[in-house]
Amino acid sequence: MEFIDAKKYKRQIKNLYKSAFPKEERAPLFLLFKKAEAGKALFYAVLEDNEFIGLVYIITTKKLAYIFFLAVEEENRSKGYGSKILESVKKMYPEKTVILEIEDTEKEDAEKQCIIFFSRSCLSCRGNRRLHISRPQASRNSSGEHYRKSTCKE
């Protein structure tokens, strides 16, 4: 799995962004690209074997990596790509708390799919929204030095 600068896949990004997110949840796409270009966010096209499969848009702070948008092409959903993307982001930021929020859905089947995805990815529910929170946890290695590991149980 590769994360490539979203600019190189603008057409695919635009199509997926518009189909995956309701209009009321979308920020103007040009603004997402502008923020990424200015270094205020990370915007990636996700590829598997050189095929575009999804997108991820991340804003980071000193302690957080907040995934604002994560989507997988419809024909590639339910194949584990969402979980793989999430795991890749967690590996990119082992020292940060990674947060992913998904809006409540009204469709029962979609709701079940969200629950399956979240439980497979070690996610938890908070109120009407589902949040994935992967926090680094201080531990000691065999020589007594501190290091961080995810609190998510595999």
Side-chain angles (χ1 to χ4, degrees), residues 77-78 108-118 120:
R77 292 180 190 156
S78 299
E108 191 173 316
D109 288 342
E111 179 77 8
K112 287 178 187 174
Q113 286 300 104
C114 280
I115 291 168
I116 291 168
F117 171 76
F118 274 89
R120 263 195 254 140

Side-chain angles (χ1 to χ4, degrees), residues 15-126:
N15 292 338
L16 176 57
Y17 185 65
K18 286 188 172 189
S19 67
F21 301 101
K23 188 175 183 177
E24 60 273 6
E25 290 181 19
R26 293 190 307 245
L29 192 56
F30 82 89
L31 189 58
L32 299 182
F33 280 109
K34 186 176 180 177
K35 293 284 187 188
E37 196 171 302
K40 297 184 182 205
L42 301 161
F43 201 2
Y44 295 113
V46 182
L47 280 65
E48 182 75 45
D49 298 325
N50 293 318
E51 177 189 350
F52 176 79
I53 59 161
L55 66 83
V56 63
Y57 185 85
I58 308 163
I59 293 181
T60 61
T61 67
K62 190 173 182 178
K63 295 182 180 184
L64 298 174
Y66 192 104
I67 302 170
F68 271 76
F69 298 103
L70 186 159
V72 174
E73 288 276 34
E74 190 169 356
E75 64 270 12
N76 287 311
R77 292 180 190 156
S78 299
K79 295 181 181 178
Y81 287 120
S83 298
K84 286 180 185 178
I85 293 168
L86 188 55
E87 285 305 311
S88 294
V89 172
K90 286 168 34 178
K91 287 178 184 175
M92 288 167 62
Y93 302 104
E95 297 295 319
K96 296 182 186 291
T97 297
V98 177
I99 299 174
L100 169 68
E101 180 178 4
I102 294 183
E103 296 289 328
D104 246 359
T105 179
E106 295 174 10
K107 297 179 182 174
E108 191 173 316
D109 288 342
E111 179 77 8
K112 287 178 187 174
Q113 286 300 104
C114 280
I115 291 168
I116 291 168
F117 171 76
F118 274 89
S119 61
R120 263 195 254 140
S121 301
C122 188
L123 305 170
S124 59
C125 296
R126 298 280 189 262

